[in-house]
Amino acid sequence: SIVERSWDYAEQAHHGQIRESGEPYFDHPAAVAFILADMDLDPNTIASGLLHDVVEDTGKHYEELASAFGTEVAGLVDGVTKLSRMDFKTREEQQAESLRKMFVAMAKDIRVILIKLADRLHNMRTLESMPEHKKMKIAGETIYLYAPLAHRLGLFAIKTELEDLSFKYRHPRIYEEIARKIKTDEKKNQALINKFSLPIIEKLNENNIKFDISGRFKSIYSIWKKMQSKNVPFEEVYDLLAVRIVFEP
């Protein structure tokens, strides 16, 4: 019920507000809540994701949230609000101070950081409508601060998507070129993954071992990093495919 109540509260609080894209502002906290739900987080965290911008953008106060939803949810929203207000002159100053504040927030309640990462992920997914200078600023913050933080927390899927989206806006021509080459070989590479995986799957099944197996193409950003570090073209990057097997204990 707390998720339903916070949905209604946030929808009403953001009523009439519009994003840069022209969409209703409430689409953003709703999307953040869905990302948190996909991470299997608890109802209070999802509720806080729905409410994470009401203090910053609608004039609501901590006391109002605490009265309506309890001090736990109000505290999470307050933590995210404080992180959102960070503003520094240089990238180095921003990175150092932002990381310090984030680690302090993590020590108090790691869920503040998870909400902030979900917030940043949706902002990156909808960055297209922003002015060019804001795109560069947000993409830079994401690659230098939020993606490494997601990596440290073991949130691999979020880290990878943040890196790729940041790279897309910072180096659009290179991004599109690598994406096109990946698409060209997609069917062939899927066939290679299937051929490699099949005998492994057969042996594991023979031994009644419970597992989950998945194959994937390396991310665009990681391919580009390999091209840079090895000083080679795309055609000479050979470890483009990966297979992951997760075993049940």
Side-chain angles (χ1 to χ4, degrees):
S1 70
I2 195 169
V3 173
E4 291 178 354
R5 288 191 294 112
S6 55
W7 180 287
D8 293 339
Y9 187 97
E11 190 172 30
Q12 185 176 358
H14 289 296
H15 181 72
Q17 293 182 337
I18 303 295
R19 303 191 82 207
E20 293 270 359
S21 62
E23 297 169 334
Y25 190 89
F26 179 69
D27 287 3
H28 170 63
V32 169
F34 277 109
I35 292 170
L36 295 168
D38 284 341
M39 294 164 68
D40 290 330
L41 292 169
D42 61 286
N44 279 355
T45 307
I46 297 169
S48 301
L50 285 161
L51 299 166
H52 79 275
D53 274 338
V54 297
V55 173
E56 183 79 11
D57 293 331
T58 73
K60 301 293 184 183
H61 300 290
Y62 172 88
E63 290 75 18
E64 294 177 64
L65 293 184
S67 175
F69 302 102
T71 55
E72 184 179 335
V73 168
L76 290 171
V77 174
D78 185 55
V80 175
T81 302
K82 286 173 179 173
L83 289 179
S84 299
R85 288 174 176 165
M86 297 184 298
D87 189 25
F88 307 101
K89 293 181 175 64
T90 67
R91 176 183 291 167
E92 291 76 16
E93 181 186 359
Q94 178 183 353
Q95 278 185 262
E97 184 64 8
S98 296
L99 278 173
R100 186 188 70 79
K101 288 195 174 185
M102 286 196 175
F103 285 128
V104 168
M106 283 167 59
K108 291 180 180 177
D109 196 324
I110 188 107
R111 293 175 297 175
V112 170
I113 304 301
L114 299 178
I115 295 167
K116 189 62 187 171
L117 285 171
D119 171 53
R120 177 53 58 116
L121 179 58
H122 184 251
N123 280 332
M124 288 301 298
R125 288 174 177 174
T126 56
L127 199 59
E128 188 61 51
S129 58
M130 299 292 283
E132 195 63 30
H133 70 283
K134 284 191 176 181
K135 285 183 190 176
M136 292 300 102
K137 181 178 184 293
I138 294 169
E141 285 175 356
T142 300
I143 200 71
Y144 287 110
L145 180 62
Y146 290 97
L149 189 58
H151 179 67
R152 288 186 178 95
L153 294 175
L155 302 170
F156 183 79
I158 290 177
K159 169 247 185 191
T160 301
E161 188 174 355
L162 288 175
E163 286 177 340
D164 274 3
L165 289 170
S166 298
F167 186 60
K168 175 182 177 180
Y169 289 106
R170 297 176 79 225
H171 303 284
R173 186 185 60 79
I174 302 172
Y175 177 92
E176 292 299 334
E177 185 179 337
I178 296 174
R180 179 178 53 78
K181 290 178 177 177
I182 290 173
K183 188 72 176 172
T184 301
D185 293 335
E186 192 171 27
K187 287 185 178 178
K188 182 181 77 174
N189 288 322
Q190 188 58 54
L192 282 171
I193 288 172
N194 293 342
K195 183 179 179 181
F196 178 85
S197 302
L198 185 60
I200 299 173
I201 292 170
E202 289 174 349
K203 280 294 180 185
L204 291 172
N205 284 333
E206 280 177 22
N207 288 277
N208 296 316
I209 296 173
K210 293 182 179 179
F211 66 95
D212 181 66
I213 187 168
S214 59
R216 64 179 178 85
F217 211 98
K218 293 282 184 72
S219 72
I220 292 174
Y221 179 71
S222 66
I223 291 170
W224 177 77
K225 280 185 69 178
K226 182 65 67 73
M227 290 165 61
Q228 295 296 300
S229 64
K230 301 288 187 182
N231 195 27
V232 295
F234 176 88
E235 290 72 21
E236 292 182 29
V237 178
Y238 297 116
D239 57 337
L240 294 176
L241 306 177
V243 172
R244 174 178 293 141
I245 307 171
V246 180
F247 298 98
E248 287 191 20

